[in-house]
Short mmCIF file of all heavy atoms in Angstrom, two decimals:
data_model
loop_
_atom_site.label_atom_id
_atom_site.label_comp_id
_atom_site.label_asym_id
_atom_site.label_seq_id
_atom_site.Cartn_x
_atom_site.Cartn_y
_atom_site.Cartn_z
N ASP N 53 3.43 15.32 12.00
CA ASP N 53 4.50 14.72 11.21
C ASP N 53 4.84 13.31 11.68
O ASP N 53 4.96 12.39 10.87
CB ASP N 53 5.74 15.62 11.27
CG ASP N 53 6.80 15.20 10.28
OD1 ASP N 53 6.44 14.89 9.12
OD2 ASP N 53 7.99 15.17 10.64
N ILE N 54 4.97 13.12 12.98
CA ILE N 54 5.29 11.79 13.52
C ILE N 54 4.14 10.83 13.27
O ILE N 54 4.34 9.70 12.81
CB ILE N 54 5.62 11.87 15.03
CG1 ILE N 54 6.91 12.68 15.21
CG2 ILE N 54 5.75 10.49 15.63
CD1 ILE N 54 7.22 13.03 16.65
N GLY N 55 2.92 11.29 13.55
CA GLY N 55 1.75 10.46 13.30
C GLY N 55 1.61 10.09 11.83
O GLY N 55 1.19 8.99 11.48
N CYS N 56 2.01 11.01 10.96
CA CYS N 56 1.95 10.77 9.52
C CYS N 56 2.86 9.61 9.14
O CYS N 56 2.45 8.69 8.44
CB CYS N 56 2.35 12.04 8.78
SG CYS N 56 2.38 11.85 7.00
N HIS N 57 4.10 9.65 9.60
CA HIS N 57 5.04 8.57 9.28
C HIS N 57 4.57 7.23 9.84
O HIS N 57 4.67 6.20 9.17
CB HIS N 57 6.44 8.90 9.79
CG HIS N 57 7.08 10.04 9.08
ND1 HIS N 57 7.44 10.01 7.75
CD2 HIS N 57 7.42 11.28 9.50
CE1 HIS N 57 7.96 11.15 7.39
NE2 HIS N 57 7.96 11.96 8.43
N LEU N 58 4.04 7.25 11.06
CA LEU N 58 3.52 6.02 11.66
C LEU N 58 2.32 5.49 10.88
O LEU N 58 2.18 4.27 10.67
CB LEU N 58 3.15 6.26 13.12
CG LEU N 58 4.31 6.55 14.08
CD1 LEU N 58 3.78 6.94 15.45
CD2 LEU N 58 5.24 5.35 14.18
N LYS N 59 1.45 6.38 10.45
CA LYS N 59 0.25 5.99 9.70
C LYS N 59 0.63 5.40 8.34
O LYS N 59 0.02 4.43 7.89
CB LYS N 59 -0.69 7.18 9.54
CG LYS N 59 -2.02 6.85 8.95
CD LYS N 59 -2.86 6.06 9.91
CE LYS N 59 -4.26 5.85 9.34
NZ LYS N 59 -5.01 4.89 10.11
N VAL N 60 1.64 5.98 7.69
CA VAL N 60 2.11 5.43 6.41
C VAL N 60 2.62 4.01 6.62
O VAL N 60 2.29 3.10 5.87
CB VAL N 60 3.19 6.33 5.77
CG1 VAL N 60 3.90 5.60 4.62
CG2 VAL N 60 2.59 7.63 5.28
N LYS N 61 3.42 3.81 7.65
CA LYS N 61 3.95 2.47 7.94
C LYS N 61 2.81 1.50 8.24
O LYS N 61 2.83 0.35 7.78
CB LYS N 61 4.91 2.51 9.14
CG LYS N 61 6.18 3.28 8.87
CD LYS N 61 7.04 2.57 7.86
CE LYS N 61 8.34 3.33 7.64
NZ LYS N 61 9.01 2.93 6.42
N GLN N 62 1.81 1.96 8.99
CA GLN N 62 0.66 1.13 9.30
C GLN N 62 -0.08 0.73 8.03
O GLN N 62 -0.44 -0.44 7.85
CB GLN N 62 -0.28 1.88 10.25
CG GLN N 62 -1.52 1.11 10.62
CD GLN N 62 -2.49 1.92 11.47
OE1 GLN N 62 -2.27 3.10 11.74
NE2 GLN N 62 -3.56 1.30 11.88
N LEU N 63 -0.29 1.67 7.13
CA LEU N 63 -0.95 1.36 5.86
C LEU N 63 -0.15 0.35 5.05
O LEU N 63 -0.72 -0.58 4.47
CB LEU N 63 -1.15 2.63 5.02
CG LEU N 63 -2.26 3.58 5.44
CD1 LEU N 63 -2.23 4.83 4.56
CD2 LEU N 63 -3.61 2.92 5.39
N GLN N 64 1.16 0.53 5.02
CA GLN N 64 2.01 -0.38 4.25
C GLN N 64 1.93 -1.80 4.77
O GLN N 64 2.00 -2.76 3.99
CB GLN N 64 3.46 0.12 4.25
CG GLN N 64 3.65 1.37 3.43
CD GLN N 64 5.01 2.01 3.61
OE1 GLN N 64 5.63 1.90 4.67
NE2 GLN N 64 5.48 2.70 2.59
N VAL N 65 1.75 -1.96 6.07
CA VAL N 65 1.63 -3.30 6.66
C VAL N 65 0.21 -3.84 6.47
O VAL N 65 0.02 -4.95 5.95
CB VAL N 65 2.00 -3.27 8.16
CG1 VAL N 65 1.64 -4.57 8.84
CG2 VAL N 65 3.48 -2.96 8.33
N GLU N 66 -0.80 -3.06 6.88
CA GLU N 66 -2.18 -3.54 6.85
C GLU N 66 -2.74 -3.70 5.44
O GLU N 66 -3.60 -4.55 5.21
CB GLU N 66 -3.07 -2.58 7.65
CG GLU N 66 -2.79 -2.61 9.14
CD GLU N 66 -3.66 -1.65 9.93
OE1 GLU N 66 -4.50 -0.94 9.33
OE2 GLU N 66 -3.49 -1.62 11.16
N LYS N 67 -2.27 -2.90 4.51
CA LYS N 67 -2.80 -2.93 3.15
C LYS N 67 -1.83 -3.56 2.16
O LYS N 67 -1.96 -3.38 0.95
CB LYS N 67 -3.13 -1.50 2.69
CG LYS N 67 -4.11 -0.76 3.56
CD LYS N 67 -5.49 -1.28 3.41
CE LYS N 67 -6.49 -0.41 4.18
NZ LYS N 67 -7.83 -0.97 4.12
N LYS N 68 -0.87 -4.31 2.67
CA LYS N 68 0.17 -4.88 1.81
C LYS N 68 -0.42 -5.70 0.66
O LYS N 68 -0.04 -5.52 -0.51
CB LYS N 68 1.13 -5.74 2.64
CG LYS N 68 2.27 -6.29 1.82
CD LYS N 68 3.27 -7.06 2.65
CE LYS N 68 4.37 -7.54 1.73
NZ LYS N 68 5.54 -7.98 2.42
N GLU N 69 -1.34 -6.60 0.96
CA GLU N 69 -1.94 -7.43 -0.09
C GLU N 69 -2.72 -6.57 -1.09
O GLU N 69 -2.63 -6.77 -2.30
CB GLU N 69 -2.85 -8.48 0.55
CG GLU N 69 -3.39 -9.47 -0.45
CD GLU N 69 -4.20 -10.58 0.20
OE1 GLU N 69 -3.90 -10.95 1.34
OE2 GLU N 69 -5.13 -11.06 -0.46
N PHE N 70 -3.47 -5.61 -0.58
CA PHE N 70 -4.23 -4.68 -1.43
C PHE N 70 -3.29 -3.92 -2.36
O PHE N 70 -3.52 -3.82 -3.57
CB PHE N 70 -5.03 -3.73 -0.54
CG PHE N 70 -5.85 -2.71 -1.26
CD1 PHE N 70 -6.90 -3.09 -2.09
CD2 PHE N 70 -5.59 -1.35 -1.11
CE1 PHE N 70 -7.67 -2.14 -2.76
CE2 PHE N 70 -6.36 -0.40 -1.76
CZ PHE N 70 -7.40 -0.80 -2.59
N PHE N 71 -2.19 -3.40 -1.81
CA PHE N 71 -1.22 -2.66 -2.60
C PHE N 71 -0.54 -3.56 -3.64
O PHE N 71 -0.31 -3.15 -4.77
CB PHE N 71 -0.17 -1.99 -1.70
CG PHE N 71 -0.70 -0.86 -0.86
CD1 PHE N 71 0.00 -0.46 0.26
CD2 PHE N 71 -1.88 -0.21 -1.16
CE1 PHE N 71 -0.47 0.60 1.04
CE2 PHE N 71 -2.37 0.84 -0.39
CZ PHE N 71 -1.65 1.24 0.72
N ASN N 72 -0.25 -4.80 -3.25
CA ASN N 72 0.34 -5.76 -4.20
C ASN N 72 -0.60 -6.02 -5.38
O ASN N 72 -0.17 -6.11 -6.53
CB ASN N 72 0.70 -7.07 -3.51
CG ASN N 72 1.93 -6.97 -2.63
OD1 ASN N 72 2.73 -6.05 -2.77
ND2 ASN N 72 2.07 -7.90 -1.71
N GLN N 73 -1.89 -6.13 -5.09
CA GLN N 73 -2.87 -6.35 -6.15
C GLN N 73 -2.96 -5.12 -7.07
O GLN N 73 -3.10 -5.27 -8.28
CB GLN N 73 -4.24 -6.68 -5.54
CG GLN N 73 -4.27 -8.03 -4.87
CD GLN N 73 -5.53 -8.28 -4.07
OE1 GLN N 73 -6.27 -7.36 -3.73
NE2 GLN N 73 -5.78 -9.55 -3.76
N LEU N 74 -2.85 -3.93 -6.49
CA LEU N 74 -2.85 -2.72 -7.32
C LEU N 74 -1.62 -2.68 -8.23
O LEU N 74 -1.72 -2.30 -9.39
CB LEU N 74 -2.89 -1.47 -6.44
CG LEU N 74 -4.23 -1.16 -5.78
CD1 LEU N 74 -4.07 -0.07 -4.72
CD2 LEU N 74 -5.27 -0.75 -6.81
N GLU N 75 -0.49 -3.11 -7.70
CA GLU N 75 0.73 -3.16 -8.52
C GLU N 75 0.58 -4.17 -9.66
O GLU N 75 1.02 -3.91 -10.78
CB GLU N 75 1.95 -3.50 -7.65
CG GLU N 75 2.37 -2.38 -6.74
CD GLU N 75 3.49 -2.74 -5.78
OE1 GLU N 75 3.79 -3.95 -5.60
OE2 GLU N 75 4.06 -1.81 -5.20
N GLU N 76 -0.07 -5.29 -9.38
CA GLU N 76 -0.31 -6.29 -10.42
C GLU N 76 -1.25 -5.73 -11.49
O GLU N 76 -1.04 -5.95 -12.69
CB GLU N 76 -0.89 -7.57 -9.80
CG GLU N 76 0.10 -8.35 -8.99
CD GLU N 76 -0.52 -9.53 -8.24
OE1 GLU N 76 -1.68 -9.89 -8.51
OE2 GLU N 76 0.17 -10.09 -7.37
N TYR N 77 -2.27 -5.03 -11.07
CA TYR N 77 -3.21 -4.38 -12.00
C TYR N 77 -2.44 -3.39 -12.88
O TYR N 77 -2.59 -3.38 -14.10
CB TYR N 77 -4.32 -3.65 -11.22
CG TYR N 77 -5.24 -2.84 -12.08
CD1 TYR N 77 -6.39 -3.41 -12.64
CD2 TYR N 77 -5.00 -1.50 -12.36
CE1 TYR N 77 -7.25 -2.68 -13.44
CE2 TYR N 77 -5.84 -0.75 -13.15
CZ TYR N 77 -6.97 -1.35 -13.69
OH TYR N 77 -7.81 -0.61 -14.49
N TYR N 78 -1.61 -2.57 -12.25
CA TYR N 78 -0.83 -1.58 -12.98
C TYR N 78 0.08 -2.26 -14.00
O TYR N 78 0.17 -1.84 -15.15
CB TYR N 78 -0.03 -0.72 -12.00
CG TYR N 78 0.75 0.38 -12.67
CD1 TYR N 78 0.12 1.57 -13.04
CD2 TYR N 78 2.11 0.25 -12.94
CE1 TYR N 78 0.82 2.59 -13.66
CE2 TYR N 78 2.81 1.26 -13.56
CZ TYR N 78 2.16 2.43 -13.91
OH TYR N 78 2.86 3.43 -14.54
N ASP N 79 0.75 -3.31 -13.56
CA ASP N 79 1.66 -4.04 -14.44
C ASP N 79 0.92 -4.63 -15.64
O ASP N 79 1.42 -4.61 -16.76
CB ASP N 79 2.37 -5.15 -13.64
CG ASP N 79 3.47 -5.82 -14.44
OD1 ASP N 79 4.28 -5.10 -15.04
OD2 ASP N 79 3.52 -7.06 -14.44
N ALA N 80 -0.29 -5.12 -15.41
CA ALA N 80 -1.06 -5.75 -16.47
C ALA N 80 -1.64 -4.76 -17.47
O ALA N 80 -1.70 -5.03 -18.68
CB ALA N 80 -2.20 -6.59 -15.88
N PHE N 81 -2.05 -3.58 -16.99
CA PHE N 81 -2.77 -2.63 -17.85
C PHE N 81 -1.96 -1.43 -18.29
O PHE N 81 -2.38 -0.68 -19.16
CB PHE N 81 -4.07 -2.19 -17.17
CG PHE N 81 -5.08 -3.29 -17.07
CD1 PHE N 81 -5.18 -4.02 -15.89
CD2 PHE N 81 -5.89 -3.62 -18.12
CE1 PHE N 81 -6.10 -5.07 -15.78
CE2 PHE N 81 -6.81 -4.65 -18.03
CZ PHE N 81 -6.91 -5.39 -16.85
#
């Protein structure tokens, strides 16, 4: 459980640009 929360936070930081691009794709299509 603790590792899960830490891993989610890590993904949110490391993949921020990737996630932003996915949100832009979603918004466009």
Side-chain angles (χ1 to χ4, degrees):
D53 191 43
I54 295 170
C56 178
H57 292 295
L58 293 173
K59 187 71 174 169
V60 167
K61 294 292 182 197
Q62 179 185 3
L63 284 176
Q64 289 170 331
V65 169
E66 291 179 0
K67 303 288 187 184
K68 183 176 181 165
E69 186 175 328
F70 179 63
F71 291 160
N72 286 341
Q73 291 170 343
L74 286 168
E75 288 174 346
E76 289 173 12
Y77 174 90
Y78 183 80
D79 188 47
F81 291 97

